[in-house]
Amino acid sequence: MDTLRAILLMVLSMALLAASDAFLKLASQVAPVGQVMLMLSTGATLLFVLLARLRGVSLTLADAFERRVMLRNLCEMIGALGMIVGLSKIPLSLMAAIMQTAPLVVTLGAALFLREPVGWRRWLAITLGLAGMLMVIRPGGSGFSGWEIFPVIGVSGLAARDLVTRVTPGRIHSIALSAYGFAAVFPVGAVVLLVTGAQITTQPVVFAHMAGAVVVTAAGYLAVTMAMRMAPVSSVAPFRYTRLVFTTGLGMLVFGERPDGWTLAGATLILGAGLYTFLRERRLARQESAVLRP
């Protein structure tokens, strides 16, 4: 019963995070990208500071300026910039497909930079997943605008953030890391505003959309945390890929998008490669555990 509840919570969290993407896209259609980044950074940072106070988690300048935490924050800044610019410029369905390559990019980065062993099957899955991403983007095609590069940069930044997270000091709580990361996005938003010369808008609809983004992001975060604690990771993690379905559905319902055959085929390839990589990693972990077991 706990496993079923955990799966339902994971699916709910992916729906909430998909809604966050939709809120951010709605806000970016009215407000400049820099303002969206500033508002997201402010709202999310305050939220995680509140969570830290409620949970008794320590937030210190010494931890915030720890070398590996600062590197993680740099990756967060790059990821946020790429993602928010991408959300503002390309269809949500394309964003959803590109974002699903993140686990594959993490596996690729772990093999290249952390020297984690990756067999030929997972290399093949990574190659197929990246090929699926190229099918979605179609560089050089008639529908290619150039803005598709930004979510690719965003995925790379977030994947690098996840890799750096693995080597951050264990004494620093995940809530604290989240607070530091969102706070680091603030100066990026300010620089984007200054460079573009865009005017900040005070339209109430922007504040409503950003409030919605912060609330559903917080709810999604809490749902993920509860799901991970309620059942084994191997049981619930594959349901992260339901975010692709929810995000694509919202793109069609809210923004009137109609993904073409290439996008759907590429997204299917990415989804299959990601699921295979996860299942392969779980199988290898079980085999290693069996060998180490007395």
Side-chain angles (χ1 to χ4, degrees), residues 145-160:
S145 65
W147 292 110
E148 293 85 354
I149 299 299
F150 280 91
V152 175
I153 294 172
V155 165
S156 302
L158 296 181

Side-chain angles (χ1 to χ4, degrees), residues 216-229:
V216 296
T217 299
Y221 171 84
L222 291 175
V224 168
T225 303
M226 292 172 63
M228 289 299 192
R229 289 180 173 177

Side-chain angles (χ1 to χ4, degrees), residues 61-99:
L61 287 177
D63 287 343
F65 287 97
E66 200 274 339
R67 178 174 56 86
R68 285 160 293 183
V69 174
M70 291 184 67
L71 178 59
R72 182 186 185 277
N73 291 344
L74 175 62
C75 296
E76 186 84 67
M77 294 158 72
I78 295 171
L81 177 63
M83 286 298 183
I84 294 179
V85 172
L87 278 170
S88 69
K89 297 296 184 180
I90 70 172
L92 203 57
S93 54
L94 263 67
M95 278 293 301
I98 296 171
M99 287 169 62

Side-chain angles (χ1 to χ4, degrees), residues 33-258:
V33 169
Q35 180 180 350
V36 172
M37 295 185 72
L38 287 174
M39 296 177 73
L40 178 63
S41 172
T42 302
T45 301
L46 290 175
L47 174 68
F48 281 106
V49 168
L50 176 61
L51 284 174
R53 292 290 297 274
L54 294 174
R55 297 281 301 276
V57 175
S58 175
L59 299 174
T60 66
L61 287 177
D63 287 343
F65 287 97
E66 200 274 339
R67 178 174 56 86
R68 285 160 293 183
V69 174
M70 291 184 67
L71 178 59
R72 182 186 185 277
N73 291 344
L74 175 62
C75 296
E76 186 84 67
M77 294 158 72
I78 295 171
L81 177 63
M83 286 298 183
I84 294 179
V85 172
L87 278 170
S88 69
K89 297 296 184 180
I90 70 172
L92 203 57
S93 54
L94 263 67
M95 278 293 301
I98 296 171
M99 287 169 62
Q100 295 308 311
T101 62
L104 297 171
V105 178
V106 170
T107 302
L108 175 63
L112 295 178
F113 300 109
L114 299 182
R115 303 301 181 187
E116 293 186 5
V118 174
W120 69 269
R121 295 179 181 85
R122 282 185 290 170
W123 277 117
L124 178 60
I126 291 171
T127 303
L128 291 175
L130 296 179
M133 183 174 67
L134 290 176
M135 291 172 62
V136 172
I137 297 175
R138 297 193 293 281
S142 58
F144 182 71
S145 65
W147 292 110
E148 293 85 354
I149 299 299
F150 280 91
V152 175
I153 294 172
V155 165
S156 302
L158 296 181
R161 176 204 64 187
D162 291 343
L163 289 172
V164 176
T165 301
R166 298 187 184 186
V167 297
T168 53
R171 59 181 171 77
I172 303 178
H173 198 280
S174 58
I175 291 178
L177 286 176
S178 299
Y180 302 145
F182 276 109
V185 175
F186 191 92
V188 181
V191 169
V192 170
L193 272 179
L194 289 174
V195 170
T196 59
Q199 296 295 317
I200 292 178
T201 179
T202 58
Q203 294 186 42
V205 67
V206 174
F207 290 90
H209 289 153
M210 291 306 302
V214 171
V215 169
V216 296
T217 299
Y221 171 84
L222 291 175
V224 168
T225 303
M226 292 172 63
M228 289 299 192
R229 289 180 173 177
M230 195 176 294
V233 175
S234 59
S235 299
V236 297
F239 292 90
R240 285 182 180 271
Y241 287 98
T242 57
R243 185 173 180 175
L244 175 63
V245 178
F246 290 123
T247 306
T248 302
L250 285 173
M252 297 172 67
L253 292 174
V254 178
F255 302 98
E257 299 173 4
R258 293 294 180 269

Side-chain angles (χ1 to χ4, degrees), residues 17-28:
L17 294 176
S20 174
D21 294 337
F23 276 124
L24 289 173
K25 185 170 183 65
L26 287 168
S28 65

